[in-house]
Amino acid sequence: MTSPDAPVRTRREPRPAGAPAPVGRRRAGRPADRAESRPSWVLVVPACLAAALAVLPLGYLVVRALERGPAYAWDVIADDRTGQLLLRSLGLTAAVVAACLVLGISLAWLTVRTALPGARAWSVLATLPLAVPSYVTAFAWLSAAPSLAGFTGSALALTLASFPYVYLPVAAALRGTDPGHEEVARSLGRGPFRTFLSVTLPQLRPAAAGGGLLVALYVLSDFGAVSLMRYDTFTRGIYTSYRASFDRTPAAALSAVLVLMTILLVAAETRTRGRAGYARTGGGTARRTVPTALGRLRFPALAWCGAVVAAAVGFPLATLGYWLAVGSSATWDPATLIRTALTTLGVAAAGAALTTVLALPVGVIAARRRGRLARLLEQAAYAGHAVPGITVALALVFFAVRYARPLYQETPLLICAYAVLFLPIAVAATRAAVLQAPPVLDDVARSLGRTPFGVLREVTVPLAAPGVAAGAALTFVVCMKELPATLLLRPTGMDTLATRLWTETGSGSFAAAAPYAAALILLAAIPSYLLGRHRT
């Protein structure tokens, strides 16, 4: 005899063919309606426009390079000059990557795994070079030692400006790896150096390889430092070819080679990474790493950290201070400086606004939807991530001259270049922000009768606003520092702080260039500080 409170078992009747499924009864992980699983046209249409804008420069660049036939393009590529540029670019890239690996790994190990005095302060100082553009570092060293012009000066400036790309991922990897392997090696009689080479370094391989790839892409795309140091690489060769001849096909062909080099670098890094596993198989014990005592190496370690930070941050700032003290109203005009700074802020703000607007639908689709369309739109938005700025600018020049003549050397075209170059930054920030917002709130809004646009405006965007704003601030900073695209696409008579610095330094007017460099660092530091404060 059953209790009156016991649940009554009922026989499930078969559902007739074609009958709708009961409300609330659907298989986990599968949407109730396939139409709901697709993104709304309110998001798809602007996301497709953003993806088309990101892909357009690359597609048109290939078309422009082959305009006079594959044979002509091959003659340009097979020229001895192209071979020299290739060897110079690869040699500079190899030297900078090797130096950055040494600096980044050594600083990361000292600040994370050793009892270095003031380790937390050194870890902050090791990231500061990211706020100093490479051409500002090149300007500082070139003005102090003109004999550095060439390969040596280019390698020095790029190394000091880009080693944090290795330091940051390696330091993060050191904080996350299990110290037990190192302790076992030490208990078996291996010294600190042998333990580092045989145990610690293999675990850092993925992080170091990823950081080295970022450095390599940065060096291949750099234009300001190598131009100031008068060292011919692919970026400088493309700019020279574009300015020196009415025939722009050679510049397009060289740009296509540069794009191919970046693609091969990314593929090579992926292949060398392989499928090796570096993670622990168990949860392990949650404990802090015991710092390694430096002993007699304490003062050499402090001297090494101090020398790197002084060369990367202290020396450029001291050089700028010196030239500011030497200069006067006879060498630079305060009114021109203010006007140039306002222009920089204006175009950077417009570029950040357009980039954020274009990134919003792509980021929402990437975060909320799954499927081929979402992956395609996100990958297309990232097309400009590994493409040098001078290549994107050249493609937009060719497109504007042929199909949009009124936009040639006008501000809207420059802003579009900023959007293509920095769209990945805004998309990544937007996607991360939307992922933090519960998707059930979107479903509730739809169930209450809100349209897709209403859900986006009243629910999704307000919840993701802080992360989207952080991405906009970061985009604003990188737009201010951008040089090669601005040089090619700026309207006649318009200067930004970056182009003015490049012009004055190119003519040897270091005292006149210093105020623009100082203003650029100051203006970029304000949103960078606010961004860092927001994330802490």
Side-chain angles (χ1 to χ4, degrees):
M1 186 172 182
T2 60
S3 170
D5 295 330
V8 178
R9 294 180 179 272
T10 59
R11 185 168 60 90
R12 180 178 297 178
E13 298 293 338
R15 182 164 52 93
V23 177
R25 182 185 299 172
R26 58 188 177 93
R27 190 172 300 175
R30 181 175 297 180
D33 187 1
R34 288 184 179 272
E36 289 295 320
S37 65
R38 300 191 185 98
S40 169
W41 64 269
V42 175
L43 294 173
V44 171
V45 173
C48 289
L49 292 177
L53 179 63
V55 175
L56 174 65
L58 298 182
Y60 190 75
L61 184 65
V62 175
V63 173
R64 186 67 176 83
L66 299 176
E67 188 176 34
R68 299 183 60 177
Y72 183 82
W74 175 252
D75 289 340
V76 174
I77 296 173
D79 187 71
D80 292 340
R81 173 65 173 170
T82 305
Q84 294 177 1
L85 293 177
L86 178 63
L87 292 177
R88 283 169 167 258
S89 298
L90 293 179
L92 180 63
T93 301
V96 173
V97 169
C100 287
L101 288 174
V102 173
L103 295 180
I105 294 175
S106 63
L107 289 177
W109 185 74
L110 287 172
T111 56
V112 176
R113 286 296 178 87
T114 70
L116 181 73
R120 182 172 297 180
W122 288 117
S123 64
V124 174
L125 292 173
T127 63
L128 288 182
L130 290 177
V132 183
S134 61
Y135 49 83
V136 173
T137 304
F139 155 74
W141 285 95
L142 183 65
S143 62
S147 60
L148 287 176
F151 177 84
T152 303
S154 300
L156 176 64
L158 289 172
T159 298
L160 296 176
S162 57
F163 78 84
Y165 291 116
V166 175
Y167 169 81
L168 290 173
V170 171
L174 283 171
R175 295 186 185 99
T177 54
D178 187 358
H181 300 87
E182 301 169 30
E183 294 171 358
V184 170
R186 294 292 298 275
S187 67
L188 294 176
R190 295 189 179 183
F193 185 70
R194 288 188 60 193
T195 300
F196 175 78
L197 292 181
S198 60
V199 179
T200 308
L201 196 57
Q203 297 183 77
L204 301 179
R205 177 184 170 186
L213 174 64
L214 292 178
V215 173
L217 295 176
Y218 185 87
V219 175
L220 284 179
S221 63
D222 180 79
F223 172 77
V226 295
S227 296
L228 294 181
M229 289 293 180
R230 299 175 181 85
Y231 185 72
D232 287 335
T233 59
F234 254 100
T235 52
R236 193 169 186 233
I238 292 169
Y239 182 81
T240 303
S241 176
Y242 172 77
R243 290 295 188 186
S245 174
F246 290 102
D247 184 9
R248 307 297 168 81
T249 303
L254 292 177
S255 298
V257 174
L258 186 56
V259 172
L260 179 61
M261 289 171 61
T262 60
I263 294 175
L264 292 177
L265 269 177
V266 174
E269 190 274 337
T270 304
R271 187 176 182 85
T272 56
R273 188 192 313 155
R275 294 188 177 182
Y278 298 89
R280 292 182 295 179
T281 56
T285 303
R287 57 188 175 86
R288 298 181 62 181
T289 304
V290 178
T292 302
L294 292 174
R296 291 179 299 178
L297 297 178
R298 178 181 181 182
F299 292 105
L302 287 172
W304 172 249
C305 295
V308 174
V309 172
V313 180
F315 185 78
L317 294 180
T319 303
L320 290 179
Y322 168 78
W323 287 111
L324 286 173
V326 170
S328 62
S329 60
T331 55
W332 60 278
D333 183 11
T336 303
L337 175 63
I338 295 174
R339 183 171 62 251
T340 306
L342 293 177
T343 301
T344 303
L345 294 174
V347 295
L354 177 61
T355 306
T356 303
V357 170
L358 293 175
L360 183 62
V362 180
V364 172
I365 291 177
R368 288 286 189 257
R369 306 296 175 181
R370 297 293 182 267
R372 184 176 303 176
L373 177 61
R375 291 195 303 269
L376 182 62
L377 290 174
E378 186 177 11
Q379 291 171 0
Y382 278 84
H385 179 64
V387 181
I390 194 169
T391 302
V392 172
L394 199 60
L396 289 178
V397 167
F398 292 152
F399 179 81
V401 170
R402 182 65 61 88
Y403 301 109
R405 186 70 184 183
L407 293 179
Y408 177 63
Q409 287 191 329
E410 295 294 337
T411 303
L413 192 63
L414 175 61
I415 295 173
C416 288
Y418 290 159
V420 173
L421 288 171
F422 308 124
L423 186 62
I425 298 176
V427 168
T430 301
R431 181 177 181 273
V434 174
L435 282 174
Q436 293 177 351
V440 67
L441 297 180
D442 295 354
D443 298 335
V444 171
R446 291 296 302 273
S447 69
L448 294 176
R450 293 294 189 273
T451 63
F453 181 75
V455 173
L456 181 68
R457 182 187 61 189
E458 300 177 19
V459 179
T460 308
V461 172
L463 290 175
V468 174
L474 183 58
T475 305
F476 176 75
V477 172
V478 294
C479 286
M480 279 199 299
K481 299 191 295 182
E482 204 286 328
L483 177 61
T486 309
L487 280 174
L488 288 180
L489 299 175
R490 58 178 173 160
T492 303
M494 190 193 85
D495 275 316
T496 64
L497 293 172
T499 60
R500 190 74 180 185
L501 169 64
W502 186 81
T503 302
E504 298 291 353
T505 308
S507 62
S509 304
F510 299 122
Y516 299 98
L520 180 62
I521 294 177
L522 178 61
L523 293 178
I526 296 174
S528 298
Y529 168 75
L530 296 177
L531 184 62
R533 187 177 180 181
H534 165 77
R535 290 182 175 180
T536 55

